[in-house]
Amino acid sequence: MQHDTKFSKIGLIAGNGDLPEKIISQCINSGIDVFVILITDNLPSSISKVQSVKLNIGSVGKAIKTLKEEKVEQVVFAGGLKRPKLLSLSLDAGGIKLLARITKAKFNGDNKLLTTVIGFFEDNGFEIVGADEILEDALVTMGQLGMVKPDQRQKEDIEVGKEIAKKIGELDIGQSVIVQDGVVIGVEAIEGTDGLIQRCSELQMEKKGGVLVKVKKPGQDSRVDLPTIGPVTIMKAYENGLSGIAVEAGGALIIDKEEVIKMADEYGLFLIGV
Amino acid sequence: MQHDTKFSKIGLIAGNGDLPEKIISQCINSGIDVFVILITDNLPSSISKVQSVKLNIGSVGKAIKTLKEEKVEQVVFAGGLKRPKLLSLSLDAGGIKLLARITKAKFNGDNKLLTTVIGFFEDNGFEIVGADEILEDALVTMGQLGMVKPDQRQKEDIEVGKEIAKKIGELDIGQSVIVQDGVVIGVEAIEGTDGLIQRCSELQMEKKGGVLVKVKKPGQDSRVDLPTIGPVTIMKAYENGLSGIAVEAGGALIIDKEEVIKMADEYGLFLIGV
């Protein structure tokens, strides 16, 4: 065991998107050992060369065994997972145990599901570490992040959006809403933030001007599923005529923060931590 | 004034869709005089030949003047309205008065807006009559409407959907949700029910099996904006792989009820009042 750093060997359970690679490169830069479990059908956009194994989403027992063999003590979950098709789920013994627990929890959304998954890994002796503990700089700070300022009307839309998004989050439905002139144009559920932004180009008045507000769900375990925005979010927001983005300060991550702020400035979008 | 029927001359303020014509033909069949105000850019799919005038959505003063000249005492609102573009809104004096009231009400959704519009017409001496008072048979009744029964899992999804849809309605966001295996797949906001159904074909597991639940918003004035389903809803639900539809008994209308039930049976969809 290493006592000179906050982290011993990290086991990264990686889903899709850009987040897993950000964590891997941060680990490499900080000299933290990392072992990656990739999940079939949910591969990250790219990853640096590190020790890794690719497993089926149902191979939970295998994952735990591998992490133990690799002497991993701390586990990070990062990246998105497509909802597995129950019929095609090939579960190993550990997977069956976990599914039994999940079924018992009778989840209606992601929160309870994640809590159950975390609990299962904890009971197997792992400490769960949040992505934000590794990517400290990525956590959104309060206040304006780029150069563009929201006007009064947009500030009001941010307030409406924050309130509604929190309530939508309480119901464990989604993390994001788009608001325009006080009206909720769209609510995110399973389609994700990009899907929400995309369809809202048709729904906005004058086809532009909406504000995206993304917050952490109340009750959401921040060790697993912090809301994230990145360059793709900014690109989509710009392409679909949004006027800006507000994300929860201390409750969300920005991937490639410098790049994201630069893009927002170039595209004339405001970007603000609220 | 006629004292032999419940209704004197009806003024129908018609939006788009099938509902206005249903009311007109019901009035014709029942011998109720009806005068229709059509709204530019929001014309119904078709209407029978009755007295009518086409007005701009901003011509509120003209609408009230016309209804008074036509000796209308009772007004029915029916059909959908596209969100007007504020910039292109050409308001007459009455329109300006109404907009001032709307602005003062600081609405974030449709409810307060509609309440304000109703109040304005009431203050001008009209009685507001709900579409369901004319189309009595169209109001959804409790229980199974067609031959197909929801299974246990679908019944649970209906319960989840009802609870979530009511909460979404409380926030004055929308009336419908789609649920599959306990998970909220999609939430309706400004895109409307058809838009929600359409995008959900991509979001369902195995691309089919979701349940549409549509309810009246708590606090929604049932004289103006009862949730409605019709043949198009059934068609879209079938095309996009839903397994059934649950609508609020006593709180929603079915247009062409016989036809709708027949179609649901043919397509193997359950249809249920809850």
Side-chain angles (χ1 to χ4, degrees):
Chain A
M1 239 179 105
Q2 297 169 286
H3 284 283
D4 51 335
T5 76
K6 192 174 161 193
F7 303 110
S8 62
K9 189 170 186 177
I10 291 278
L12 172 64
I13 301 184
N16 55 44
D18 297 332
L19 193 56
E21 170 55 18
K22 298 298 151 192
I23 290 173
I24 292 169
S25 49
Q26 181 65 48
C27 285
I28 294 174
N29 291 341
S30 313
I32 303 167
D33 261 3
V34 60
F35 181 86
V36 183
I37 293 186
L38 299 164
I39 300 163
T40 317
D41 295 331
N42 291 280
L43 299 182
S45 35
S46 71
I47 61 162
S48 300
K49 213 174 147 91
V50 283
Q51 276 188 295
S52 71
V53 66
K54 199 198 287 178
L55 294 178
N56 235 303
I57 197 167
S59 305
V60 181
K62 185 83 194 292
I64 286 169
K65 191 163 166 276
T66 309
L67 291 172
K68 287 194 171 162
E69 282 167 4
E70 294 291 333
K71 308 239 182 299
V72 160
E73 294 176 354
Q74 293 164 315
V75 168
V76 177
F77 290 85
L81 290 181
K82 281 184 283 180
R83 277 175 85 199
K85 299 182 182 183
L86 285 177
L87 293 178
S88 63
L89 209 56
S90 55
L91 299 165
D92 67 10
I96 289 168
K97 268 188 217 161
L98 176 53
L99 188 67
R101 244 198 235 193
I102 289 170
T103 311
K104 223 169 147 195
K106 267 208 145 222
F107 67 96
N108 290 328
D110 287 340
N111 275 358
K112 272 194 216 161
L113 173 62
L114 290 173
T115 308
T116 309
V117 173
I118 290 180
F120 192 76
F121 276 83
E122 282 179 328
D123 289 354
N124 277 281
F126 299 103
E127 180 196 347
I128 311 298
V129 172
D132 60 308
E133 291 181 57
I134 294 175
L135 302 174
E136 281 176 44
D137 291 346
L139 205 63
V140 174
T141 51
M142 183 66 80
Q144 204 177 306
L145 293 163
M147 289 185 313
V148 185
K149 283 183 192 170
D151 63 23
Q152 190 49 39
R153 181 73 253 196
Q154 289 160 344
K155 279 184 195 161
E156 287 171 28
D157 284 348
I158 292 170
E159 285 311 306
V160 171
K162 206 176 153 188
E163 194 191 323
I164 300 284
K166 276 288 171 193
K167 285 180 180 160
I168 298 296
E170 257 167 46
L171 301 174
D172 200 7
I173 294 173
Q175 305 173 318
S176 309
V177 297
I178 292 181
V179 180
Q180 185 180 31
D181 289 351
V183 176
V184 179
I185 301 286
V187 173
E188 177 192 354
I190 213 132
E191 77 278 24
T193 308
D194 290 351
L196 170 69
I197 297 174
Q198 220 140 351
R199 80 170 185 271
C200 280
S201 69
E202 294 302 312
L203 305 170
Q204 296 170 90
M205 290 203 297
E206 322 286 349
K207 299 231 172 183
K208 54 192 283 190
V211 172
L212 173 73
V213 183
K214 187 163 188 176
V215 302
K216 181 171 166 299
K217 294 180 197 165
Q220 179 175 3
D221 195 315
S222 57
R223 293 174 301 173
V224 174
D225 190 28
L226 277 185
T228 303
I229 69 162
V232 175
T233 322
I234 302 289
M235 181 65 81
K236 289 217 182 275
Y238 170 69
E239 284 171 358
N240 293 286
L242 295 188
S243 56
I245 299 174
V247 267
E248 184 172 357
L253 297 177
I254 301 186
I255 293 180
D256 291 331
K257 199 184 238 175
E258 255 179 64
E259 169 73 3
V260 159
I261 292 174
K262 201 176 136 228
M263 284 172 71
D265 286 347
E266 267 171 25
Y267 291 154
L269 298 171
F270 67 79
L271 181 63
I272 192 166
V274 291
Chain B
M1 239 179 99
Q2 296 169 290
H3 286 284
D4 53 333
T5 76
K6 193 175 159 191
F7 302 109
S8 62
K9 189 171 186 176
I10 291 277
L12 172 63
I13 300 184
N16 55 43
D18 297 332
L19 192 57
E21 171 55 18
K22 297 299 152 193
I23 289 173
I24 292 168
S25 49
Q26 181 65 47
C27 285
I28 294 173
N29 292 341
S30 313
I32 304 166
D33 260 4
V34 60
F35 180 88
V36 183
I37 293 186
L38 299 163
I39 299 164
T40 318
D41 296 333
N42 291 279
L43 299 182
S45 36
S46 72
I47 61 162
S48 300
K49 213 173 149 87
V50 283
Q51 275 187 294
S52 70
V53 65
K54 199 199 286 179
L55 294 178
N56 234 303
I57 197 167
S59 305
V60 181
K62 185 84 195 294
I64 286 170
K65 191 161 166 278
T66 309
L67 292 172
K68 288 196 170 161
E69 282 167 3
E70 293 292 334
K71 308 241 181 297
V72 161
E73 293 175 355
Q74 292 165 317
V75 168
V76 177
F77 290 84
L81 290 181
K82 281 184 284 183
R83 278 175 85 198
K85 300 183 179 180
L86 285 178
L87 294 177
S88 63
L89 207 57
S90 55
L91 299 164
D92 67 9
I96 289 167
K97 268 188 216 161
L98 176 53
L99 188 66
R101 244 197 234 192
I102 289 170
T103 311
K104 224 169 144 193
K106 267 204 147 227
F107 66 97
N108 290 330
D110 287 341
N111 275 358
K112 273 194 216 161
L113 174 63
L114 290 173
T115 308
T116 308
V117 173
I118 290 180
F120 192 75
F121 275 83
E122 282 179 327
D123 290 354
N124 277 282
F126 299 102
E127 182 197 344
I128 311 297
V129 172
D132 61 308
E133 291 181 56
I134 295 175
L135 302 173
E136 282 176 43
D137 291 347
L139 207 63
V140 174
T141 50
M142 185 66 82
Q144 202 177 309
L145 293 162
M147 290 183 313
V148 185
K149 283 184 192 169
D151 63 22
Q152 190 50 38
R153 180 74 251 199
Q154 290 160 344
K155 278 185 197 162
E156 287 171 26
D157 283 348
I158 292 171
E159 286 311 307
V160 171
K162 207 176 150 187
E163 195 192 322
I164 300 283
K166 277 288 172 192
K167 286 180 180 161
I168 298 296
E170 256 167 47
L171 301 174
D172 200 6
I173 294 173
Q175 305 172 318
S176 309
V177 298
I178 293 181
V179 181
Q180 185 179 30
D181 289 351
V183 176
V184 180
I185 301 286
V187 173
E188 177 191 354
I190 214 132
E191 77 277 24
T193 307
D194 290 352
L196 170 69
I197 297 173
Q198 220 140 349
R199 77 168 187 272
C200 281
S201 70
E202 293 302 313
L203 305 171
Q204 295 170 90
M205 288 202 299
E206 321 287 347
K207 298 231 173 186
K208 54 193 283 189
V211 173
L212 173 73
V213 183
K214 187 163 187 175
V215 302
K216 183 173 164 299
K217 294 179 196 166
Q220 180 175 3
D221 194 315
S222 57
R223 292 173 300 173
V224 174
D225 191 28
L226 276 185
T228 302
I229 69 163
V232 175
T233 321
I234 303 289
M235 179 66 79
K236 290 217 180 275
Y238 170 69
E239 284 172 357
N240 292 287
L242 295 188
S243 56
I245 299 174
V247 267
E248 185 173 356
L253 297 177
I254 302 185
I255 293 180
D256 291 331
K257 199 185 239 175
E258 255 179 64
E259 169 73 4
V260 159
I261 292 172
K262 202 175 136 228
M263 282 172 72
D265 286 346
E266 269 171 23
Y267 291 154
L269 298 173
F270 67 79
L271 180 63
I272 193 166
V274 292

